[in-house]
Amino acid sequence: MRKGRTVTLTPNPALDLWTTTAHVQAGPKLRCSPLRKDPGGGGINVSRVISRLGGDTLALFLSGGDTGTALMDALRMEGVAAIAARSSASTRQSFSVRDELNGAVYRFVLPGEPISHEEHDALLRLLPDAAASAELVVGSGSLPPGAGSDFWAEAARISREAGAKSVLDSGQGVPEA
């Protein structure tokens, strides 16, 4: 076990698009600043912070289409270790605009495209080896349509069997007591 390594699991990652405009208002065209593209999604954001703080992390996620390629490229540029399971569905995007006049941020979060049972399984198949080299597995973010309702429970079981502790930060897929 690599002492202190944190593996993150993100089944519904996003490429986060950010821009600013003088003032958000309905009607006229709003001229925006150059677009910034950041890797995103719950677990990916956790890995980004751990990496920035000098910690040992590995991000596991589903990736598809040109957006998935851009997401992986952005993670490499930040020096975040990552492994993606391929998906036929394009990785989702989110879009945020900051109003320069009042500082308000408007966030538009798109849903993920449906994934197949095979893609669900492909992501979970990455977990045993990764968790065996980790102290902690963090599952974070939303589930894409098509992910089984037992996704997070299965991820916790795999992590435990590999000898890692696990935590979940998601409002989806949490069974009621």
Side-chain angles (χ1 to χ4, degrees), residues 2-15:
R2 294 176 69 175
K3 191 72 173 161
R5 174 173 251 193
T6 300
V7 170
T8 61
L9 185 62
T10 311
N12 199 20
L15 185 64

Side-chain angles (χ1 to χ4, degrees), residues 7 11 31 34 40-41 55-56 66 78-79 87 89 91 116 120 125 131 138 142 173:
V7 170
R31 302 293 175 190
D56 186 10
D66 292 341
E78 288 191 25
S87 174
T91 299
S116 69
H120 163 120
R125 279 195 300 275
V138 176
S142 62

Side-chain angles (χ1 to χ4, degrees), residues 14-130:
L15 185 64
D16 293 335
L17 309 175
W18 289 88
T19 191
T20 63
T21 192
H23 181 61
V24 175
Q25 57 183 329
K29 289 182 181 178
L30 304 176
R31 302 293 175 190
C32 297
S33 65
L35 191 62
R36 190 177 88 201
K37 299 177 183 179
D38 293 323
I44 287 175
N45 289 332
V46 171
S47 279
R48 291 175 68 209
V49 169
I50 291 169
S51 181
R52 285 180 184 174
L53 294 174
D56 186 10
T57 188
L58 173 64
L60 304 178
F61 60 97
L62 279 172
S63 173
D66 292 341
T67 308
T69 300
L71 175 62
M72 182 61 92
D73 290 347
L75 286 167
R76 284 190 188 114
M77 292 289 292
E78 288 191 25
V80 177
I83 301 174
R86 296 301 303 159
S87 174
S88 61
S90 290
T91 299
R92 71 189 174 104
Q93 296 181 54
S94 68
F95 186 74
S96 298
V97 178
R98 185 174 59 83
D99 183 315
E100 294 171 343
L101 182 67
N102 62 25
V105 175
Y106 300 87
R107 298 180 65 202
F108 303 89
V109 179
L110 301 174
E113 291 185 29
I115 64 168
S116 69
H117 184 72
E118 292 77 19
E119 292 164 334
H120 163 120
D121 289 349
L123 179 57
L124 288 177
R125 279 195 300 275
L126 296 177
L127 192 53
D129 288 342

Side-chain angles (χ1 to χ4, degrees), residues 149-172:
S149 61
D150 65 341
F151 181 88
W152 292 123
E154 183 70 6
R157 182 191 61 76
I158 292 168
S159 300
R160 183 179 60 251
E161 289 176 358
K165 296 176 183 174
S166 63
V167 296
L168 175 62
D169 172 28
S170 178
Q172 291 185 304

